[in-house]
Amino acid sequence: MLRVLYLVHDICEPAVRRRVMMLKAGGARVTLAGFRRSSASPADLGDVVPVDLGTTKDAGFGQRIAAVARVAMTIQGRLGGDGVPDVIVCRNLEMLALAARLRALYAWARVPVAYECLDIHRLMLREDALGAAMRALERYLARDVSLLMTSSPAFVRHYFRARNQVSSPVELLENKHFEPMETGGNALHRLERAPWRIGWFGALRCRRSLLTLADFVRAMDGRFEVVLRGKPALTAIPDFHDIVAAEPHLRFEGPYRNPEDIADIYREVHFSWVVDYFEAGLNSSWLLPNRLYEGCRFGAIPIAVAGTETALFLRHRGIGVQLPDLSTDQLVEMLGDMDTTTVEQLRGKVLEQDRKTWTFDGEDCRKLVTLLSRLNLHPPEASMKPA
């Protein structure tokens, strides 16, 4: 059984839980270690008991660097008696630093490292001395990485290859819905007439999206409503709850379990909001978010903005609604006249797609673990060529 040490920046993040579940479903034995961004307890991980490395802060980059430096001196002891792993998977740059430290401590075992990077932090893209220093640090730490796992080809085109950050082979590991066994049915529970519901689920961090949606539902005067679920990024939208409370057609319904609740929450909406202007023109324009795959899997019509990797993805498949720009006027123009016939047609195009476009199943889990198991034997062939 492959022994995977999974180093993460936030043991409470839902995506971390999903990856642990995927590795286990693929046949790996997982040791999870990482920091946390809140005092909340991690979600149920079954027999995996995370090694808590301490608390770090959102938007507190200096504090996180100090925390990593402190932990690096004691990381081997903190991991207890689990022994030397067969492979280390590290999520994000700060954990790559810890992986490099462990690799040095385990030098005799030649433990391979897989670098999982699913977002490009804005600090990495600054065109000043700080940005250059951060990129140089990443190149240095990644010099011996055996595999880069990333979720969008645009990250490779615009960053990793364009700036020569990582020379290892690349595995495209999209943010698909984890579905080890097919969930029965994929249509809405019912397709009634207006009000049409737009679901915005996951990390709620885009203030521009929230304000635009608030203006839109106010202009539609009850024909549309927006359902929000997940974790609001209060560092980015400190008045999130005040904005929602002021709009009768905005509803925040709290967190949800991923993947257990995904089918139910998306079946209750007609459209899925896959717009993100949090880092417009950079990471937000390049990513392919979880909500894209999750919503489409269960028949929600994706709404994107032209010029992004998400819009390109949807255009290639002939599905979804693409806004020329993010504005209330554009939303009114593109969605304001929606009727049942149009919604059924748009939804039908989504449901016609191959389920594997949206899901990561048991077979995919086994392939991932097999790929990781081979890192000790020989370098993997790159499974994705940047376009």
Side-chain angles (χ1 to χ4, degrees), residues 227-373:
V227 181
L228 305 108
R229 292 177 183 263
K231 181 181 179 182
L234 299 181
T235 53
I237 318 175
D239 52 350
F240 173 88
H241 293 290
D242 292 335
I243 294 170
V244 173
E247 299 295 338
H249 303 297
L250 289 183
R251 302 199 319 267
F252 175 57
E253 299 190 351
Y256 56 91
R257 296 175 303 161
N258 190 337
E260 291 89 343
D261 297 337
I262 293 296
D264 288 337
I265 66 175
Y266 276 104
R267 284 171 177 158
E268 294 176 354
V269 300
H270 304 90
F271 297 88
S272 173
W273 189 255
V274 295
V275 177
D276 185 356
Y277 268 74
F278 180 66
E279 293 174 350
L282 301 172
N283 185 74
S284 293
S285 298
W286 302 340
L287 56 76
L288 294 172
N290 296 58
R291 56 180 67 97
L292 165 66
Y293 301 92
E294 295 165 352
C296 289
R297 168 64 184 95
F298 295 103
I301 303 156
I303 302 172
V305 174
T308 63
E309 189 72 11
T310 299
L312 180 64
F313 181 98
L314 296 175
R315 188 168 72 245
H316 283 168
R317 290 158 180 80
I319 60 176
V321 174
Q322 292 193 34
L323 307 172
D325 190 18
L326 179 56
S327 70
T328 304
D329 290 343
Q330 290 291 346
L331 273 171
V332 171
E333 181 177 342
M334 299 294 291
L335 299 180
D337 295 330
M338 281 288 165
D339 56 27
T340 300
T341 299
T342 305
V343 171
E344 285 180 335
Q345 290 173 345
L346 290 169
R347 187 172 64 116
K349 291 180 180 179
V350 174
L351 295 176
E352 288 171 0
Q353 305 297 308
D354 186 342
R355 183 178 65 89
K356 291 282 287 182
T357 304
W358 317 119
T359 61
F360 201 96
D361 61 19
E363 179 185 3
D364 296 311
C365 294
R366 290 186 289 274
K367 287 180 179 178
L368 172 60
V369 171
T370 298
L371 175 65
L372 294 174
S373 69

Side-chain angles (χ1 to χ4, degrees), residues 45-293:
L45 294 165
D47 60 354
V48 176
V49 179
V51 178
D52 191 337
L53 300 180
T55 303
T56 56
K57 298 178 182 179
D58 280 329
F61 199 71
Q63 187 264 347
R64 298 208 304 269
I65 291 175
V68 169
R70 287 194 301 271
V71 168
M73 298 299 101
T74 59
I75 182 64
Q76 190 174 17
R78 286 171 179 258
L79 293 176
D82 275 347
V84 179
D86 297 314
V87 61
I88 299 171
V89 178
C90 55
R91 191 180 182 99
N92 293 353
L93 178 59
E94 57 208 91
M95 307 316 292
L96 181 58
L98 290 182
R101 168 67 174 163
L102 281 170
R103 193 171 189 275
L105 292 171
Y106 301 146
W108 56 271
R110 298 175 57 85
V111 179
V113 173
Y115 179 26
E116 182 181 37
C117 186
L118 308 183
D119 285 291
I120 311 299
H121 195 281
R122 60 186 177 276
L123 284 179
M124 310 301 296
L125 300 167
R126 289 175 53 152
E127 299 298 342
D128 59 8
L130 177 58
M134 294 303 300
R135 290 189 294 275
L137 175 63
E138 182 179 54
R139 283 193 296 271
Y140 175 75
L141 293 174
R143 67 195 186 282
D144 294 323
V145 161
S146 298
L147 182 69
L148 169 67
M149 303 191 308
T150 193
S151 57
S152 171
F155 292 155
V156 181
R157 291 198 308 271
H158 297 295
Y159 179 72
F160 286 112
R161 293 296 187 247
R163 294 182 180 268
N164 297 314
Q165 290 302 110
V166 179
S167 59
S168 70
V170 177
E171 178 72 10
L172 181 63
L173 202 62
E174 295 170 86
N175 287 313
K176 295 183 180 183
H177 172 57
F178 176 47
E179 191 172 294
M181 294 183 292
E182 183 173 355
T183 303
N186 57 3
L188 293 165
H189 291 314
R190 58 191 182 279
L191 184 65
E192 70 263 51
R193 292 177 291 180
W196 306 116
R197 291 185 297 277
I198 300 173
W200 181 17
F201 305 146
L204 309 175
R205 61 183 185 177
C206 178
R207 181 179 179 82
R208 183 173 171 183
S209 286
L210 183 61
L211 294 177
T212 304
L213 286 168
D215 288 343
F216 171 67
V217 293
R218 193 182 314 122
M220 289 291 95
D221 194 24
R223 291 194 67 245
F224 277 80
E225 56 186 33
V226 175
V227 181
L228 305 108
R229 292 177 183 263
K231 181 181 179 182
L234 299 181
T235 53
I237 318 175
D239 52 350
F240 173 88
H241 293 290
D242 292 335
I243 294 170
V244 173
E247 299 295 338
H249 303 297
L250 289 183
R251 302 199 319 267
F252 175 57
E253 299 190 351
Y256 56 91
R257 296 175 303 161
N258 190 337
E260 291 89 343
D261 297 337
I262 293 296
D264 288 337
I265 66 175
Y266 276 104
R267 284 171 177 158
E268 294 176 354
V269 300
H270 304 90
F271 297 88
S272 173
W273 189 255
V274 295
V275 177
D276 185 356
Y277 268 74
F278 180 66
E279 293 174 350
L282 301 172
N283 185 74
S284 293
S285 298
W286 302 340
L287 56 76
L288 294 172
N290 296 58
R291 56 180 67 97
L292 165 66
Y293 301 92

